């Protein structure tokens, strides 16, 4: 069967032939991969910035935003049936018996860093025709979400962030009627963050570089969020347009943007960081002002990466809600579908908000 792989030593990305997986045993399921979404992580791996193959392999099969169909199940599978539509989670537990989070299935909070990740770190991904996966790592998806199910994995990050925001803000002795969220960035993670926050009933504003009359801004408004352009509203004027911001959801990976935006954060507010910045020259930031505000205003900064099974299940729920409320706008996030042979070019050059590789129809 065919798969898309990177060879770091040769600095090469190409479609290769690999052996088909064996028949499933135990709690395994054999999956027919339908589609795989492409994100910034895939492009960074394809640029050989990181990405580790499994032990004993000189290549890494890419892809972690997958949707697949169950072809066959092992004898101990209890919750899946042939024909089910599923989305696999990405991170697998570390082997350390002292890592309590991995031992309870919350490897998204792993304390050792020795986890593996499908298509990213020491485990092959899903950009191939057939895959074996354990039942515990598969989340079932309603058939009506088939054409947008590749959004579930990236949306799970936003779903986890919304879940964390609600949990953290329970520290307050009151419940805000409708918290106001500022999403930094209108790329795929920003757009999906806007969906997650909007269907969580947050008053959502997206702040990005595109002009206010741009197609990207129109897409944001179609999602039920408001849009602010950096061209018209400098960062220090955000509050004058939106009012105080209760939650900032960062989706740009630029420290200067993320931390300078805290000047818009209300007392008792929350900054959620999702981006991983490039290691460039140190940014100049008003650390004294930021620290003073955090302390005097009871503010919180939290990072969120990867997502556990519960966040994937929450992501399915939020996507169902979004498809009920704004189906056209959700579908519009996926702007390009190409066959597997075109994947190397897509990895080099993005063609829209969200590119998707089609493996099987």
């Amino acid at each position: 069967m065919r798969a898309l792989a990177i060879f770091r030593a040769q600095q090469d990305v190409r479609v290769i032939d690999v052996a088909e997986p064996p028949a499933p045993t135990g709690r395994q399921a054999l999956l027919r991969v339908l589609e795989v979404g492409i994100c910034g992580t895939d492009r960074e791996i394809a640029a050989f910035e990181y990405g580790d193959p499994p032990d004993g392999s000189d290549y890494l099969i890419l892809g972690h935003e997958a949707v697949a169909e169950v072809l066959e199940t092992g004898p101990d599978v209890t919750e899946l049936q042939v024909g089910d539509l599923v989305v696999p989670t990405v991170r697998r537990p570390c082997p350390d018996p002292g890592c309590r989070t991995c031992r309870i299935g919350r490897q998204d909070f792993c304390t050792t860093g020795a986890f593996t990740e499908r298509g990213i770190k020491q485990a092959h991904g899903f950009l191939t025709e057939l895959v074996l996966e354990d039942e515990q790592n598969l989340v079932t998806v309603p058939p009506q979400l088939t054409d947008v199910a590749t959004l579930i994995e990236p949306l799970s990050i936003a779903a986890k962030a919304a879940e964390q925001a609600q949990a953290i803000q329970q520290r307050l002795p009151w419940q805000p009627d409708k918290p106001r969220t500022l999403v930094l960035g209108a790329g795929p993670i920003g757009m999906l963050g806007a969906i997650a926050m909007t269907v969580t009933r947050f008053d959502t504003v997206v702040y990005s570089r595109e002009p206010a009359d741009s197609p990207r801004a129109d897409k944001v408004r179609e999602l039920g969020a408001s849009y602010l352009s950096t061209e018209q509203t400098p960062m220090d004027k955000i509050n004058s347009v939106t009012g105080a911001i209760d939650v900032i959801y960062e989706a740009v990976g630029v420290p200067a943007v993320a931390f300078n935006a805290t000047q818009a954060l209300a007392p008792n507010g929350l900054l959620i960081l999702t981006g991983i910045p490039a290691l460039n020259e140190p940014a100049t930031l008003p650390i004294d002002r930021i620290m003073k505000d955090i302390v005097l205003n009871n503010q919180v900064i939290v990072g969120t990466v990867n997502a556990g099974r519960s966040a994937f299940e929450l992501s399915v729920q939020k996507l169902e809600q979004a498809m009920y409320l704004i189906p056209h706008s959700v579908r519009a996030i996926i702007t390009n579908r190409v066959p597997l042979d075109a994947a190397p070019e897509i990895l080099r050059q993005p063609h829209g908000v969200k590119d998707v590789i089609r493996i099987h129809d």
Side-chain angles (χ1 to χ4, degrees), residues 84-352:
D84 280 352
L85 190 71
V86 295
V87 167
T89 62
V90 178
R91 184 174 290 188
R92 302 294 171 261
C94 77
D96 189 333
C99 181
R100 292 181 296 177
T101 59
C102 284
R103 302 289 71 80
I104 63 171
R106 289 308 305 265
Q107 51 266 26
D108 52 319
F109 289 103
C110 177
T111 58
T112 70
F115 53 80
T116 60
E117 290 180 317
R118 296 295 297 257
I120 301 173
K121 180 186 177 187
Q122 299 178 325
H124 288 311
F126 305 113
L127 263 169
T128 186
E129 297 179 57
L130 300 172
V131 169
L132 266 185
E133 186 55 89
D134 287 345
E135 178 182 34
Q136 64 186 343
N137 300 322
L138 298 171
V139 176
T140 56
V141 178
Q144 61 267 28
L145 297 183
T146 299
D147 64 331
V148 293
T150 52
L151 299 178
I152 289 171
E153 191 281 334
L155 182 58
S156 72
I157 306 300
K160 178 181 176 181
E163 184 180 51
Q164 293 286 295
Q166 289 181 308
I168 291 169
Q169 295 306 73
Q170 286 179 4
R171 68 198 169 99
L172 302 177
W174 70 92
Q175 182 64 40
D177 292 334
K178 192 173 185 181
R180 183 175 292 114
T181 299
L182 181 70
V183 176
L184 301 177
I189 298 299
M191 299 286 272
L192 292 168
I195 288 176
M197 298 300 173
T198 299
V199 300
T200 310
R201 300 185 61 80
F202 286 14
D203 182 4
T204 305
V205 180
V206 175
Y207 184 65
S208 193
R209 295 179 298 178
E210 293 82 0
D213 59 354
S214 66
R216 188 69 63 90
D218 289 339
K219 288 181 184 294
V220 168
R221 286 186 281 264
E222 289 171 2
L223 295 174
S226 303
Y227 184 83
L228 278 183
S229 172
T230 59
E231 290 185 352
Q232 296 175 329
T233 307
M235 198 165 282
D236 61 357
K237 302 296 183 185
I238 291 174
N239 282 145
S240 65
V241 177
T242 65
I245 300 295
D246 299 296
V247 178
I248 296 176
Y249 178 83
E250 175 275 323
V252 291
V254 180
V257 174
F259 288 100
N260 279 315
T262 58
Q263 61 193 293
L265 197 59
N268 312 304
L270 170 65
L271 169 63
I272 302 173
L273 302 176
T274 73
I276 300 176
L279 298 178
N280 298 317
E281 291 296 319
T284 300
L285 293 169
I287 298 297
D288 49 355
R289 190 273 302 166
I290 294 171
M291 182 173 177
K292 178 183 175 182
D293 287 348
I294 290 171
V295 172
L296 296 182
N297 293 323
N298 297 298
Q299 294 169 339
V300 176
I301 299 175
V302 62
T304 181
V305 65
N306 193 260
R309 182 184 178 92
S310 62
F312 272 76
E313 293 169 342
L314 183 60
S315 176
V316 172
Q317 295 174 21
K318 290 187 181 298
L319 191 58
E320 283 188 285
Q321 290 176 276
M323 286 297 288
Y324 175 77
L325 297 169
I326 44 171
H328 171 75
S329 301
V330 175
R331 290 191 173 101
I333 293 176
I334 299 175
T335 48
N336 197 33
R337 279 185 164 92
V338 302
L340 182 60
D341 288 333
E345 173 60 25
I346 288 294
L347 285 164
R348 286 189 289 268
Q349 180 63 49
H351 289 75

